[in-house]
Structures are given as structure tokens and as C-alpha cells.
């Protein structure tokens, strides 16, 4: 069994995540390829520097433009929005595989949705919303503001609950966003016909989901394969592993603490990990939702970096801050930074930087960090960088 040293494992994962290269111009064709290679890009509403999907893509090249992503989604229709572990932007060519998810979501969500939103008229709400969109075209939730809010999860009104249910189960799609508000339309009007009408059987779906997850993970356990897209169950992964045991390569991956853990890899991937080059010795401020950070347990095991978002932690109990960004330097996480684009004041405000244990904030390191802050400043569209008193915390 091949053992992959921890350092090589990190090199390999950084390369697979698209953070290991020089990062050339990220215009429309390369942008689409980048999202395809990542598998998906998570969408999140929090806007401290910039929304997560824009930050993730900005981290992977130069010249990234919001308008290019919008064009791929809204005009070329080569991307669509739906659900992985959370709301995500996904290549439209993957849509046939999401049909299997939609079927499961209909079975899983229907009673749950009705129970939580406490409406006796859920089926009527579904029919009413679909009829309006079929007849009048795209709608937003605010087009139904006359509805009385429910007593459910997010105080959604019945039509909003119906819109979200229909989106999660594939009958509606997001045709565009206005600000950050979803604009819903019939899926057949949004997803290209070639992908909308394509069908794949269950075995092909499971094979694709497992194989493509493992390709992007580099090496993975059963649970990590199942968790990547959140399309297949652990039992389906078990069946796939058993059916492909002669092809798959068992490996041992050394964790940050030196302990190895068994995993699987596709042919050639272990060798690719062993020869993966070290990433450039540059500093990057990455989104908390970056694909490299997405599996927090895996990140802690392989990079020795423990992270959680403290948005929902009461302020007095936060260890770091409301929304703190991991700072990557080369092959390791060097620390975390509390930084915000304060647009009213036209500044990028650096409140605090906490180095990780063993990281010395040398002049060379701080110079690289300041260069990255300047790059982020331009990305956020503010005029200057400011540093709070005592921003550099002790390691």
C-alpha cells in the first residue's frame, strides 16, 4: 500500500483545488473550466469582503469579473444553481445527475416542508406558484408579498416556501439574481435542452458521483466520497467501492500529526500526489467556503488547522470574530485574519491577524500579507487599507 507523506498530500490537494498555480487570467472560458474542475462553487449571502462565490473564483486567477460569471449563468446557460451540501453554482452538463437528487428531495422534503411550514394548503400553493410562472414568466419571492407569513422556519410566506421547495426538487431553476434575490423560472426554460432531457440510469449516476468526487478529492474515505456532492448515500458508495475494488488503489495518507489513515484513490492519483510540486510561497486570503476548506474535519486532519465560522456564536463568546478568513501561505495555513470592506468609509479595515502556532510574522511574511491585502482591496473596490491598533496578535 502506498503511503502519501503529509506534505505531499497537502501539495496535491492545493493543486487539485486550483490554488497551486500561478493563476492566469480568469476570463469566461477558463472560468467555466475552473468551476468544472472544482465541481461546484458554494454561494453564500454574507458579504464582508465579497460574496463567497466571487471570492472563491477571485482566489484562482487574475482578472476575474462578476459579469463573466453572470454571463455563464444567465446568458450562455453553461452553469446552474442548485444544492450540493449547500446552495452552489454547478456546471449545466451535470444537470442529468441532479435529476436523481431531485427525486430523492421530493420524497424527503415534501412532508418535512409541510410539517415545518404548518400549512394545510401546501399542494394548492405549489400549483398556484407553478401556474403563475408558467403563465407570466420569472418571479421573485417579493412578487408574492401579499401572502401572510407562515409560522415556520424563516417566517417565509407560503409562496416563498413553495418556490424554494420547487427549486430544491428541480421543477424551478434560478434564471438570474437581482442583487442577491433569486429570480425563479421553469427549469426547462433555464437549463439547455440537451442537458434537461438527458437521462442517466441509477448505476451510471452512482458511478459518476463516486468517480468524479474521488477525482476531485485526490484520495478519500468512503464518507468523504459520499459527502463531496451529497448526491449518493454511504450504502451506494459501499456498493460502488466493492464493484470497483480491482481498479481502485488503496493508500495510506499521513495526517498532520503523522498518523496515517487508509483511503482510496483512482489509478495514477497516488503517483501524482507523490510528485506534486510545492505551491508558490505566496500569501492568499481565502474564503471560509473555499473548496479547500469545505470539509473542516479533513482540513484539520491534513493541514492541522481547526476552523469554524462564529457568525452564530454570541459576540462575547467568540474566539476570533464574526467572519474570519483563513490565510494560506504556500502549503500551510499560516493564520486567520479579521478584515472587512467598509464601503461607506472606502477602506479595507484589518482588525486582527492571528498567526498559527509555529508561524513567525517575519518582515518577509508581513510584506506578502500586505501585498495580498492590497490585491483584496482592489477586488473589494475600496480605496485604502487601514490597520487597527494591535492588529498583529501574538502567535
Amino acid at each position: 500500500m502506498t503511503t502519501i507523506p503529509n506534505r505531499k498530500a497537502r501539495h496535491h490537494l492545493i493543486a487539485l483545488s486550483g490554488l497551486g498555480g500561478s493563476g492566469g487570467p480568469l476570463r469566461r472560458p477558463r472560468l467555466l473550466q475552473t468551476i468544472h474542475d472544482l465541481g461546484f462553487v458554494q454561494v453564500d449571502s454574507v458579504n464582508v469582503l465579497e460574496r463567497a462565490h466571487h471570492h472563491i473564483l477571485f482566489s484562482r486567477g487574475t482578472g476575474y469579473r462578476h459579469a463573466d460569471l453572470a454571463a455563464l449563468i444567465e446568458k450562455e446557460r453553461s452553469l446552474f444553481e442548485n444544492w450540493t451540501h449547500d446552495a452552489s453554482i454547478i456546471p449545466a452538463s451535470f444537470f442529468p445527475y441532479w435529476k436523481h437528487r431531485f427525486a430523492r428531495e421530493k420524497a424527503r422534503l415534501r412532508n418535512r416542508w409541510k410539517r415545518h411550514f404548518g400549512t394545510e394548503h401546501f399542494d394548492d400553493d405549489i400549483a398556484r406558484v407553478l401556474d403563475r410562472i408558467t403563465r407570466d414568466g420569472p418571479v421573485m419571492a417579493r412578487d408574492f408579498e401579499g401572502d401572510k407569513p407562515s409560522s415556520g422556519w424563516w417566517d417565509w410566506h407560503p409562496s416563498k416556501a413553495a418556490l424554494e421547495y420547487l427549486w430544491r426538487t428541480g421543477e424551478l431553476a434560478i434564471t438570474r439574481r437581482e442583487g442577491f434575490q433569486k429570480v425563479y423560472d421553469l427549469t426547462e426554460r433555464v437549463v439547455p435542452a440537451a442537458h434537461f432531457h438527458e437521462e442517466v440510469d441509477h448505476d451510471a449516476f452512482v458511478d459518476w458521483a463516486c468517480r468524479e468526487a474521488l477525482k476531485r478529492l485526490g484520495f478519500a474515505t468512503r464518507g468523504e466520497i459520499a459527502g463531496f456532492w451529497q448526491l449518493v448515500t454511504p450504502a451506494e458508495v459501499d456498493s460502488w467501492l466493492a464493484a470497483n475494488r480491482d481498479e481502485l488503489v488503496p493508500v495510506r495518507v499521513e495526517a498532520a500529526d503523522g498518523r496515517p489513515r487508509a483511503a482510496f484513490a483512482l489509478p495514477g492519483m497516488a503517483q501524482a500526489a507523490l510528485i506534486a510540486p510545492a505551491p508558490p510561497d505566496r500569501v492568499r486570503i481565502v474564503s471560509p467556503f473555499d473548496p479547500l476548506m469545505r470539509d473542516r474535519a479533513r482540513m484539520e486532519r491534513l493541514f492541522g488547522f481547526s476552523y469554524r465560522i462564529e457568525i452564530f456564536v454570541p459576540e462575547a463568546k467568540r474566539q476570533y470574530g464574526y467572519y474570519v478568513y483563513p490565510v494560506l501561505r504556500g502549503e500551510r495555513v499560516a493564520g486567520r485574519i479579521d478584515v472587512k470592506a467598509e464601503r461607506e468609509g472606502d477602506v479595507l479595515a484589518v482588525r486582527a491577524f492571528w498567526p498559527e502556532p509555529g508561524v513567525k510574522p517575519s518582515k518577509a511574511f508581513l510584506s506578502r500579507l500586505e501585498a495580498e491585502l492590497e490585491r483584496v482591496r482592489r477586488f473589494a473596490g475600496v480605496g485604502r487599507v487601514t490597520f487597527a491598533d494591535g492588529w498583529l496578535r501574538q502567535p
Side-chain angles (χ1 to χ4, degrees):
M1 186 182 293
T2 300
T3 297
I4 301 173
N6 179 251
R7 191 177 182 197
K8 284 299 179 182
R10 284 183 277 137
H11 293 176
H12 191 44
L13 293 179
I14 290 170
L16 287 174
S17 72
L19 290 171
S22 58
L26 200 63
R27 300 310 304 276
R28 214 174 291 180
R30 184 166 172 259
L31 179 59
L32 178 59
Q33 186 63 51
T34 296
I35 296 170
H36 180 279
D37 292 347
L38 292 173
F40 59 87
V41 172
Q42 183 174 340
V43 177
D44 191 76
S45 61
V46 177
N47 189 358
V48 175
L49 290 178
E50 182 51 274
R51 299 198 193 278
H53 47 296
H54 295 307
H55 190 170
I56 290 166
L57 295 168
F58 159 79
S59 297
R60 283 158 173 80
T62 60
Y64 167 70
R65 298 180 183 179
H66 297 49
D68 285 333
L69 181 63
L72 291 172
I73 297 170
E74 300 172 11
K75 296 178 181 178
E76 297 184 16
R77 302 296 192 190
S78 50
L79 299 167
F80 77 106
E81 274 195 57
N82 207 268
W83 212 259
T84 54
H85 66 294
D86 210 320
S88 299
I89 296 166
I90 305 162
S93 59
F94 297 176
F95 182 82
Y97 304 100
W98 255 253
K99 291 182 180 181
H100 292 264
R101 181 188 181 96
F102 298 148
R104 291 177 177 178
E105 289 291 87
K106 284 181 181 179
R108 186 180 73 88
L109 290 178
R110 189 170 189 82
N111 290 332
R112 185 182 179 206
W113 229 247
K114 291 174 76 171
R115 183 172 64 253
H116 278 287
F117 289 107
T119 173
E120 299 175 358
H121 307 291
F122 189 70
D123 292 336
D124 294 337
D125 295 331
I126 293 287
R128 176 171 53 83
V129 166
L130 277 175
D131 180 67
R132 175 166 175 178
I133 295 174
T134 302
R135 183 183 66 248
D136 299 336
V139 300
M140 302 172 70
R142 69 188 184 199
D143 295 328
F144 299 91
E145 284 180 348
D147 286 7
K148 183 180 178 181
S150 73
S151 58
W153 278 339
W154 301 285
D155 205 30
W156 286 351
H157 55 66
S159 296
K160 170 64 174 176
L163 287 167
E164 286 291 299
Y165 172 81
L166 290 165
W167 174 53
R168 291 281 295 270
T169 56
E171 292 194 60
L172 296 183
I174 308 304
T175 187
R176 65 181 186 278
R177 285 183 182 257
E178 293 186 7
F180 196 66
Q181 300 300 306
K182 301 185 188 83
V183 181
Y184 305 84
D185 201 355
L186 299 178
T187 303
E188 63 198 76
R189 295 174 181 165
V190 176
V191 174
H195 304 313
F196 179 80
H197 293 293
E198 183 182 351
E199 302 289 341
V200 293
D201 65 28
H202 179 264
D203 289 345
F205 156 68
V206 172
D207 183 70
W208 180 89
C210 294
R211 193 173 297 276
E212 293 298 316
L214 192 49
K215 187 184 298 183
R216 289 164 175 81
L217 290 166
F219 39 79
T221 64
R222 161 188 176 268
E224 288 164 350
I225 295 170
F228 182 79
W229 308 106
Q230 293 198 1
L231 287 173
V232 290
T233 65
E236 287 171 324
V237 176
D238 282 338
S239 296
W240 182 80
L241 291 172
N244 293 276
R245 62 183 178 272
D246 292 337
E247 176 189 1
L248 297 173
V249 179
V251 296
R252 294 194 307 171
V253 184
E254 188 180 59
D257 63 6
R259 290 183 292 181
R261 185 173 183 177
F264 301 96
L266 292 170
M269 290 299 273
Q271 289 73 19
L274 293 173
I275 63 171
D281 186 29
R282 57 167 291 188
V283 169
R284 299 187 198 212
I285 297 170
V286 299
S287 168
F289 299 109
D290 194 278
L292 188 65
M293 300 292 304
R294 176 234 180 291
D295 186 335
R296 303 278 161 77
R298 193 175 199 236
M299 189 72 188
E300 184 169 1
R301 186 172 73 253
L302 295 172
F303 286 79
F305 180 66
S306 176
Y307 181 86
R308 71 166 177 163
I309 290 179
E310 297 184 288
I311 290 174
F312 301 111
V313 177
E315 186 172 358
K317 295 183 178 180
R318 289 176 188 151
Q319 184 178 2
Y320 297 106
Y322 173 80
Y323 198 85
V324 173
Y325 294 84
V327 177
L328 190 69
R329 181 185 182 181
E331 68 192 37
R332 69 176 299 184
V333 181
R336 61 199 86 204
I337 191 166
D338 186 354
V339 59
K340 181 179 181 181
E342 297 180 350
R343 292 181 172 84
E344 288 185 4
D346 197 31
V347 299
L348 184 71
V350 179
R351 298 165 176 172
F353 171 73
W354 296 267
E356 281 292 283
V359 173
K360 294 182 179 180
S362 64
K363 288 184 178 180
F365 174 81
L366 292 177
S367 176
R368 288 182 173 90
L369 178 60
E370 288 171 8
E372 175 68 355
L373 286 166
E374 177 62 20
R375 197 174 79 94
V376 169
R377 176 198 67 77
R378 294 193 298 270
F379 169 60
V382 292
R384 60 196 176 94
V385 180
T386 62
F387 296 86
D389 291 341
W391 69 276
L392 182 58
R393 304 299 172 88
Q394 292 300 314

PDB file of all heavy atoms in Angstrom, residues 3 15 17 27 41 43 47 58 118 145 156 183 190 246 260 265 276 283 285 311 342 348 355 361 367 387 390:
ATOM      1  N   THR A   3       2.096   4.886   0.785  1.00  0.00           N
ATOM      2  CA  THR A   3       1.905   5.911   1.808  1.00  0.00           C
ATOM      3  C   THR A   3       2.215   7.275   1.208  1.00  0.00           C
ATOM      4  O   THR A   3       3.291   7.466   0.617  1.00  0.00           O
ATOM      5  CB  THR A   3       2.803   5.653   3.022  1.00  0.00           C
ATOM      6  OG1 THR A   3       2.428   4.405   3.628  1.00  0.00           O
ATOM      7  CG2 THR A   3       2.655   6.765   4.056  1.00  0.00           C
ATOM      8  N   ALA A  15      -3.090  21.731  -5.309  1.00  0.00           N
ATOM      9  CA  ALA A  15      -3.100  21.723  -6.777  1.00  0.00           C
ATOM     10  C   ALA A  15      -4.484  21.363  -7.307  1.00  0.00           C
ATOM     11  O   ALA A  15      -4.999  22.012  -8.231  1.00  0.00           O
ATOM     12  CB  ALA A  15      -2.053  20.741  -7.303  1.00  0.00           C
ATOM     13  N   SER A  17      -7.292  21.816  -5.916  1.00  0.00           N
ATOM     14  CA  SER A  17      -8.256  22.866  -5.605  1.00  0.00           C
ATOM     15  C   SER A  17      -8.058  24.116  -6.449  1.00  0.00           C
ATOM     16  O   SER A  17      -8.819  25.080  -6.324  1.00  0.00           O
ATOM     17  CB  SER A  17      -8.167  23.244  -4.123  1.00  0.00           C
ATOM     18  OG  SER A  17      -6.987  23.973  -3.861  1.00  0.00           O
ATOM     19  N   ARG A  27     -10.868  34.617 -17.385  1.00  0.00           N
ATOM     20  CA  ARG A  27     -11.996  35.102 -18.172  1.00  0.00           C
ATOM     21  C   ARG A  27     -12.913  33.947 -18.516  1.00  0.00           C
ATOM     22  O   ARG A  27     -12.722  32.830 -18.067  1.00  0.00           O
ATOM     23  CB  ARG A  27     -11.493  35.832 -19.417  1.00  0.00           C
ATOM     24  CG  ARG A  27     -10.619  37.053 -19.105  1.00  0.00           C
ATOM     25  CD  ARG A  27     -11.257  38.003 -18.093  1.00  0.00           C
ATOM     26  NE  ARG A  27     -12.566  38.461 -18.501  1.00  0.00           N
ATOM     27  CZ  ARG A  27     -12.777  39.494 -19.317  1.00  0.00           C
ATOM     28  NH1 ARG A  27     -11.734  40.172 -19.807  1.00  0.00           N
ATOM     29  NH2 ARG A  27     -13.998  39.859 -19.648  1.00  0.00           N
ATOM     30  N   VAL A  41     -19.180  25.624  -6.926  1.00  0.00           N
ATOM     31  CA  VAL A  41     -18.726  26.759  -6.125  1.00  0.00           C
ATOM     32  C   VAL A  41     -19.876  27.167  -5.221  1.00  0.00           C
ATOM     33  O   VAL A  41     -20.977  27.445  -5.697  1.00  0.00           O
ATOM     34  CB  VAL A  41     -18.293  27.943  -7.011  1.00  0.00           C
ATOM     35  CG1 VAL A  41     -18.002  29.171  -6.165  1.00  0.00           C
ATOM     36  CG2 VAL A  41     -17.063  27.579  -7.842  1.00  0.00           C
ATOM     37  N   VAL A  43     -22.425  29.163  -2.912  1.00  0.00           N
ATOM     38  CA  VAL A  43     -22.997  30.510  -2.864  1.00  0.00           C
ATOM     39  C   VAL A  43     -23.370  30.801  -1.418  1.00  0.00           C
ATOM     40  O   VAL A  43     -23.967  29.954  -0.747  1.00  0.00           O
ATOM     41  CB  VAL A  43     -24.248  30.595  -3.762  1.00  0.00           C
ATOM     42  CG1 VAL A  43     -24.896  31.965  -3.650  1.00  0.00           C
ATOM     43  CG2 VAL A  43     -23.885  30.293  -5.208  1.00  0.00           C
ATOM     44  N   ASN A  47     -21.589  39.091   3.008  1.00  0.00           N
ATOM     45  CA  ASN A  47     -20.757  39.945   2.164  1.00  0.00           C
ATOM     46  C   ASN A  47     -19.897  40.840   3.055  1.00  0.00           C
ATOM     47  O   ASN A  47     -20.246  41.983   3.333  1.00  0.00           O
ATOM     48  CB  ASN A  47     -21.641  40.787   1.243  1.00  0.00           C
ATOM     49  CG  ASN A  47     -20.844  41.544   0.195  1.00  0.00           C
ATOM     50  OD1 ASN A  47     -19.621  41.475   0.184  1.00  0.00           O
ATOM     51  ND2 ASN A  47     -21.522  42.262  -0.673  1.00  0.00           N
ATOM     52  N   PHE A  58     -12.092  34.532  -7.476  1.00  0.00           N
ATOM     53  CA  PHE A  58     -11.033  35.545  -7.461  1.00  0.00           C
ATOM     54  C   PHE A  58      -9.709  34.946  -6.981  1.00  0.00           C
ATOM     55  O   PHE A  58      -8.627  35.320  -7.467  1.00  0.00           O
ATOM     56  CB  PHE A  58     -11.471  36.693  -6.547  1.00  0.00           C
ATOM     57  CG  PHE A  58     -10.363  37.563  -6.035  1.00  0.00           C
ATOM     58  CD1 PHE A  58      -9.796  38.536  -6.834  1.00  0.00           C
ATOM     59  CD2 PHE A  58      -9.889  37.414  -4.734  1.00  0.00           C
ATOM     60  CE1 PHE A  58      -8.778  39.342  -6.358  1.00  0.00           C
ATOM     61  CE2 PHE A  58      -8.876  38.218  -4.250  1.00  0.00           C
ATOM     62  CZ  PHE A  58      -8.314  39.186  -5.060  1.00  0.00           C
ATOM     63  N   GLY A 118     -46.311  24.363   8.375  1.00  0.00           N
ATOM     64  CA  GLY A 118     -47.591  24.312   9.039  1.00  0.00           C
ATOM     65  C   GLY A 118     -48.770  24.779   8.206  1.00  0.00           C
ATOM     66  O   GLY A 118     -49.688  25.417   8.711  1.00  0.00           O
ATOM     67  N   GLU A 145     -45.624  39.238  -1.981  1.00  0.00           N
ATOM     68  CA  GLU A 145     -45.543  39.852  -0.656  1.00  0.00           C
ATOM     69  C   GLU A 145     -46.893  39.985   0.030  1.00  0.00           C
ATOM     70  O   GLU A 145     -46.973  40.183   1.233  1.00  0.00           O
ATOM     71  CB  GLU A 145     -44.854  41.218  -0.747  1.00  0.00           C
ATOM     72  CG  GLU A 145     -43.340  41.091  -0.925  1.00  0.00           C
ATOM     73  CD  GLU A 145     -42.654  42.442  -1.024  1.00  0.00           C
ATOM     74  OE1 GLU A 145     -43.367  43.453  -1.174  1.00  0.00           O
ATOM     75  OE2 GLU A 145     -41.411  42.469  -0.966  1.00  0.00           O
ATOM     76  N   TRP A 156     -41.129  32.406   6.353  1.00  0.00           N
ATOM     77  CA  TRP A 156     -41.442  32.520   4.933  1.00  0.00           C
ATOM     78  C   TRP A 156     -42.953  32.534   4.745  1.00  0.00           C
ATOM     79  O   TRP A 156     -43.689  31.827   5.438  1.00  0.00           O
ATOM     80  CB  TRP A 156     -40.890  31.317   4.171  1.00  0.00           C
ATOM     81  CG  TRP A 156     -39.411  31.317   3.978  1.00  0.00           C
ATOM     82  CD1 TRP A 156     -38.534  32.316   4.247  1.00  0.00           C
ATOM     83  CD2 TRP A 156     -38.639  30.235   3.443  1.00  0.00           C
ATOM     84  NE1 TRP A 156     -37.258  31.928   3.925  1.00  0.00           N
ATOM     85  CE2 TRP A 156     -37.295  30.654   3.428  1.00  0.00           C
ATOM     86  CE3 TRP A 156     -38.964  28.962   2.987  1.00  0.00           C
ATOM     87  CZ2 TRP A 156     -36.264  29.847   2.970  1.00  0.00           C
ATOM     88  CZ3 TRP A 156     -37.934  28.150   2.524  1.00  0.00           C
ATOM     89  CH2 TRP A 156     -36.600  28.584   2.510  1.00  0.00           C
ATOM     90  N   VAL A 183     -34.372  34.888  -8.820  1.00  0.00           N
ATOM     91  CA  VAL A 183     -35.460  35.017  -9.782  1.00  0.00           C
ATOM     92  C   VAL A 183     -35.715  33.618 -10.334  1.00  0.00           C
ATOM     93  O   VAL A 183     -34.828  33.019 -10.945  1.00  0.00           O
ATOM     94  CB  VAL A 183     -35.114  35.995 -10.921  1.00  0.00           C
ATOM     95  CG1 VAL A 183     -36.292  36.123 -11.888  1.00  0.00           C
ATOM     96  CG2 VAL A 183     -34.722  37.362 -10.360  1.00  0.00           C
ATOM     97  N   VAL A 190     -34.562  27.291 -18.407  1.00  0.00           N
ATOM     98  CA  VAL A 190     -33.257  27.751 -17.911  1.00  0.00           C
ATOM     99  C   VAL A 190     -32.136  26.811 -18.313  1.00  0.00           C
ATOM    100  O   VAL A 190     -31.103  27.244 -18.836  1.00  0.00           O
ATOM    101  CB  VAL A 190     -33.303  27.912 -16.371  1.00  0.00           C
ATOM    102  CG1 VAL A 190     -31.924  28.295 -15.827  1.00  0.00           C
ATOM    103  CG2 VAL A 190     -34.342  28.952 -15.962  1.00  0.00           C
ATOM    104  N   ASP A 246     -11.083  -3.806  -7.864  1.00  0.00           N
ATOM    105  CA  ASP A 246      -9.898  -4.179  -8.644  1.00  0.00           C
ATOM    106  C   ASP A 246      -9.248  -2.974  -9.318  1.00  0.00           C
ATOM    107  O   ASP A 246      -8.067  -3.023  -9.668  1.00  0.00           O
ATOM    108  CB  ASP A 246     -10.282  -5.216  -9.708  1.00  0.00           C
ATOM    109  CG  ASP A 246     -10.679  -6.546  -9.105  1.00  0.00           C
ATOM    110  OD1 ASP A 246     -10.260  -6.822  -7.950  1.00  0.00           O
ATOM    111  OD2 ASP A 246     -11.419  -7.302  -9.757  1.00  0.00           O
ATOM    112  N   PRO A 260      -1.103   7.781   9.907  1.00  0.00           N
ATOM    113  CA  PRO A 260      -1.670   7.501   8.578  1.00  0.00           C
ATOM    114  C   PRO A 260      -3.129   7.085   8.675  1.00  0.00           C
ATOM    115  O   PRO A 260      -3.573   6.542   9.692  1.00  0.00           O
ATOM    116  CB  PRO A 260      -0.805   6.355   8.062  1.00  0.00           C
ATOM    117  CG  PRO A 260      -0.379   5.630   9.302  1.00  0.00           C
ATOM    118  CD  PRO A 260      -0.265   6.669  10.388  1.00  0.00           C
ATOM    119  N   ALA A 265      -7.909   5.744  -3.900  1.00  0.00           N
ATOM    120  CA  ALA A 265      -7.546   6.678  -4.972  1.00  0.00           C
ATOM    121  C   ALA A 265      -7.796   6.006  -6.314  1.00  0.00           C
ATOM    122  O   ALA A 265      -7.805   4.775  -6.420  1.00  0.00           O
ATOM    123  CB  ALA A 265      -6.082   7.091  -4.855  1.00  0.00           C
ATOM    124  N   ALA A 276       3.705  15.793  -6.716  1.00  0.00           N
ATOM    125  CA  ALA A 276       3.071  17.113  -6.779  1.00  0.00           C
ATOM    126  C   ALA A 276       4.058  18.188  -6.339  1.00  0.00           C
ATOM    127  O   ALA A 276       4.690  18.063  -5.283  1.00  0.00           O
ATOM    128  CB  ALA A 276       1.831  17.140  -5.890  1.00  0.00           C
ATOM    129  N   VAL A 283       1.110  34.445  -0.171  1.00  0.00           N
ATOM    130  CA  VAL A 283       0.040  34.507   0.824  1.00  0.00           C
ATOM    131  C   VAL A 283      -1.284  34.745   0.108  1.00  0.00           C
ATOM    132  O   VAL A 283      -1.371  35.587  -0.787  1.00  0.00           O
ATOM    133  CB  VAL A 283       0.320  35.626   1.853  1.00  0.00           C
ATOM    134  CG1 VAL A 283      -0.904  35.881   2.723  1.00  0.00           C
ATOM    135  CG2 VAL A 283       1.521  35.266   2.709  1.00  0.00           C
ATOM    136  N   ILE A 285      -5.535  35.164   1.080  1.00  0.00           N
ATOM    137  CA  ILE A 285      -6.668  35.217   1.997  1.00  0.00           C
ATOM    138  C   ILE A 285      -7.813  34.511   1.291  1.00  0.00           C
ATOM    139  O   ILE A 285      -8.268  34.955   0.239  1.00  0.00           O
ATOM    140  CB  ILE A 285      -7.042  36.673   2.339  1.00  0.00           C
ATOM    141  CG1 ILE A 285      -5.884  37.351   3.075  1.00  0.00           C
ATOM    142  CG2 ILE A 285      -8.322  36.723   3.170  1.00  0.00           C
ATOM    143  CD1 ILE A 285      -6.053  38.848   3.245  1.00  0.00           C
ATOM    144  N   ILE A 311     -20.303  33.241  13.168  1.00  0.00           N
ATOM    145  CA  ILE A 311     -21.428  34.145  12.930  1.00  0.00           C
ATOM    146  C   ILE A 311     -22.527  33.949  13.967  1.00  0.00           C
ATOM    147  O   ILE A 311     -23.114  34.917  14.470  1.00  0.00           O
ATOM    148  CB  ILE A 311     -21.992  33.933  11.501  1.00  0.00           C
ATOM    149  CG1 ILE A 311     -20.990  34.440  10.461  1.00  0.00           C
ATOM    150  CG2 ILE A 311     -23.326  34.616  11.324  1.00  0.00           C
ATOM    151  CD1 ILE A 311     -21.403  34.143   9.032  1.00  0.00           C
ATOM    152  N   GLU A 342     -15.176  48.118   4.438  1.00  0.00           N
ATOM    153  CA  GLU A 342     -16.112  49.120   4.954  1.00  0.00           C
ATOM    154  C   GLU A 342     -16.340  50.150   3.858  1.00  0.00           C
ATOM    155  O   GLU A 342     -15.589  51.119   3.731  1.00  0.00           O
ATOM    156  CB  GLU A 342     -15.560  49.745   6.229  1.00  0.00           C
ATOM    157  CG  GLU A 342     -15.399  48.724   7.361  1.00  0.00           C
ATOM    158  CD  GLU A 342     -14.857  49.321   8.647  1.00  0.00           C
ATOM    159  OE1 GLU A 342     -14.417  50.496   8.616  1.00  0.00           O
ATOM    160  OE2 GLU A 342     -14.854  48.618   9.678  1.00  0.00           O
ATOM    161  N   LEU A 348     -10.473  49.111   3.469  1.00  0.00           N
ATOM    162  CA  LEU A 348     -10.371  47.700   3.845  1.00  0.00           C
ATOM    163  C   LEU A 348      -9.781  47.704   5.244  1.00  0.00           C
ATOM    164  O   LEU A 348      -8.594  47.997   5.433  1.00  0.00           O
ATOM    165  CB  LEU A 348      -9.473  46.945   2.869  1.00  0.00           C
ATOM    166  CG  LEU A 348      -9.365  45.439   3.099  1.00  0.00           C
ATOM    167  CD1 LEU A 348     -10.673  44.746   2.721  1.00  0.00           C
ATOM    168  CD2 LEU A 348      -8.214  44.848   2.294  1.00  0.00           C
ATOM    169  N   PRO A 355      -1.512  34.589  13.912  1.00  0.00           N
ATOM    170  CA  PRO A 355      -0.691  33.537  13.293  1.00  0.00           C
ATOM    171  C   PRO A 355      -1.003  32.185  13.929  1.00  0.00           C
ATOM    172  O   PRO A 355      -1.342  32.091  15.112  1.00  0.00           O
ATOM    173  CB  PRO A 355       0.751  33.961  13.619  1.00  0.00           C
ATOM    174  CG  PRO A 355       0.673  35.366  14.112  1.00  0.00           C
ATOM    175  CD  PRO A 355      -0.700  35.532  14.694  1.00  0.00           C
ATOM    176  N   PRO A 361       5.592  35.962  12.309  1.00  0.00           N
ATOM    177  CA  PRO A 361       5.267  37.063  11.383  1.00  0.00           C
ATOM    178  C   PRO A 361       6.500  37.895  11.050  1.00  0.00           C
ATOM    179  O   PRO A 361       6.671  39.030  11.506  1.00  0.00           O
ATOM    180  CB  PRO A 361       4.220  37.861  12.164  1.00  0.00           C
ATOM    181  CG  PRO A 361       4.507  37.576  13.594  1.00  0.00           C
ATOM    182  CD  PRO A 361       5.061  36.182  13.658  1.00  0.00           C
ATOM    183  N   SER A 367       5.248  41.387   4.525  1.00  0.00           N
ATOM    184  CA  SER A 367       5.271  42.019   3.211  1.00  0.00           C
ATOM    185  C   SER A 367       4.349  41.289   2.232  1.00  0.00           C
ATOM    186  O   SER A 367       3.600  41.922   1.472  1.00  0.00           O
ATOM    187  CB  SER A 367       6.704  42.032   2.667  1.00  0.00           C
ATOM    188  OG  SER A 367       6.738  42.558   1.359  1.00  0.00           O
ATOM    189  N   PHE A 387      -5.171  49.600   9.358  1.00  0.00           N
ATOM    190  CA  PHE A 387      -4.842  48.589  10.359  1.00  0.00           C
ATOM    191  C   PHE A 387      -5.217  49.104  11.746  1.00  0.00           C
ATOM    192  O   PHE A 387      -4.800  50.200  12.137  1.00  0.00           O
ATOM    193  CB  PHE A 387      -3.347  48.255  10.330  1.00  0.00           C
ATOM    194  CG  PHE A 387      -2.892  47.619   9.045  1.00  0.00           C
ATOM    195  CD1 PHE A 387      -2.514  48.409   7.963  1.00  0.00           C
ATOM    196  CD2 PHE A 387      -2.844  46.238   8.911  1.00  0.00           C
ATOM    197  CE1 PHE A 387      -2.088  47.827   6.775  1.00  0.00           C
ATOM    198  CE2 PHE A 387      -2.420  45.653   7.729  1.00  0.00           C
ATOM    199  CZ  PHE A 387      -2.042  46.447   6.658  1.00  0.00           C
ATOM    200  N   GLY A 390      -2.888  47.309  17.440  1.00  0.00           N
ATOM    201  CA  GLY A 390      -2.737  45.968  17.990  1.00  0.00           C
ATOM    202  C   GLY A 390      -3.271  44.872  17.093  1.00  0.00           C
ATOM    203  O   GLY A 390      -3.578  43.769  17.566  1.00  0.00           O
TER     204      GLY A 390
END
